[in-house]
Amino acid sequence: MVNIIFTILTNSMAAYVITRYRLKNKFFNMMYYYFISAMFIPFNVIMLPLVKEVSAFYMDNILGITFLYIVFGLPQSIFLYSGFVKGIPTALEEAAIMDGAKPYQVFFKVIFPLMKPMHATVAILSFMWTWNDFLMPLVLLSDPHQQTLQLAQYVFQGQFSTQYNLAFASYVLVLLPVLLMYVFFQKYIIAGVTSGSVK
């Protein structure tokens, strides 16, 4: 939940600034392509150096991995938010500025509420990714007491036998939240992705 809240707040702000200024400033244009290029780098490539850095900064815990989920979700979120922000007329921001609104007021009172479909899309995709992720917690979390549900399921597999009855029961329990969330919010995912991809 913390991951979703901070992802929506930070990533939407970053995407808004980059999208609005990338045509006026080369730095923001470079930042846009820098973040988008990170989508093409698989986690396996950076896994070993990341483990060393995380251990050096004592981030091998739940707070550290939550921060990493927010950072690693930034490229996809910027890509989605950027396509959505392009469809918001700049006249709305100009009108708010003429009424005396500060830059942060323009974002939080005008732009942020208009992003609701994209907020829902980013929240659902972020939840599904972090909930189902197995590899990152496996290599980064050092404390067995902080392991995620996906790691906890690994105990049903032993060296010589596997408790399939308990394993599959746990799989169903872990699958249910994601399945229910997707069923109830499917229209928001489709609407958000399509509106952000055709601009």
Side-chain angles (χ1 to χ4, degrees):
M1 194 63 173
V2 175
N3 169 45
I4 295 174
I5 293 173
F6 277 94
T7 295
I8 290 175
L9 285 175
T10 58
N11 294 6
S12 62
M13 286 190 285
Y16 170 71
V17 172
I18 289 174
T19 304
R20 283 296 188 241
Y21 291 99
R22 61 177 293 217
L23 297 179
K24 305 174 184 177
N25 192 312
K26 291 183 178 180
F27 172 76
F28 289 104
N29 192 41
M30 182 185 69
M31 289 298 295
Y32 174 78
Y33 287 110
Y34 171 77
F35 284 120
I36 296 302
S37 64
M39 295 175 65
F40 302 101
I41 302 175
F43 177 74
N44 299 353
V45 174
I46 61 173
M47 183 169 60
L48 183 58
L50 182 65
V51 170
K52 292 183 177 181
E53 292 297 323
V54 165
S55 178
F57 287 99
Y58 303 101
M59 295 176 62
D60 51 349
N61 49 48
I62 293 296
L63 291 177
I65 202 170
T66 301
F67 174 77
L68 291 176
Y69 276 132
I70 296 170
V71 172
F72 286 154
L74 193 59
Q76 177 181 277
S77 299
I78 284 186
F79 177 73
L80 294 172
Y81 275 122
S82 177
F84 192 84
V85 170
K86 288 178 184 177
I88 300 177
T90 55
L92 295 175
E93 302 160 46
E94 295 169 357
I97 293 172
M98 290 181 64
D99 288 338
K102 304 294 184 182
Y104 67 91
Q105 292 176 322
V106 172
F107 177 75
F108 283 107
K109 292 188 177 181
V110 178
I111 304 300
F112 194 78
L114 294 175
M115 291 182 172
K116 283 182 181 178
M118 193 51 63
H119 292 327
T121 303
V122 170
I124 294 167
L125 293 177
S126 177
F127 172 77
M128 293 175 67
W129 169 50
T130 55
W131 183 265
N132 292 324
D133 190 28
F134 177 80
L135 186 58
M136 191 185 297
L138 177 66
V139 298
L140 296 184
L141 294 180
S142 58
D143 188 358
H145 297 92
Q146 292 186 344
Q147 60 184 332
T148 61
L149 289 174
Q150 282 67 24
L151 291 181
Q153 294 175 347
Y154 205 56
V155 300
F156 298 119
Q157 182 177 356
Q159 183 178 2
F160 301 106
S161 64
T162 301
Q163 297 174 303
Y164 288 106
N165 54 343
L166 298 177
F168 280 99
S170 67
Y171 297 158
V172 172
L173 291 176
V174 171
L175 178 65
L176 280 177
V178 178
L179 187 62
L180 292 175
M181 194 172 200
Y182 184 79
V183 168
F184 285 114
F185 296 101
Q186 182 180 8
K187 61 180 181 181
Y188 294 107
I189 296 179
I190 297 173
V193 171
T194 53
S195 62
S197 62
V198 298
K199 302 299 182 192

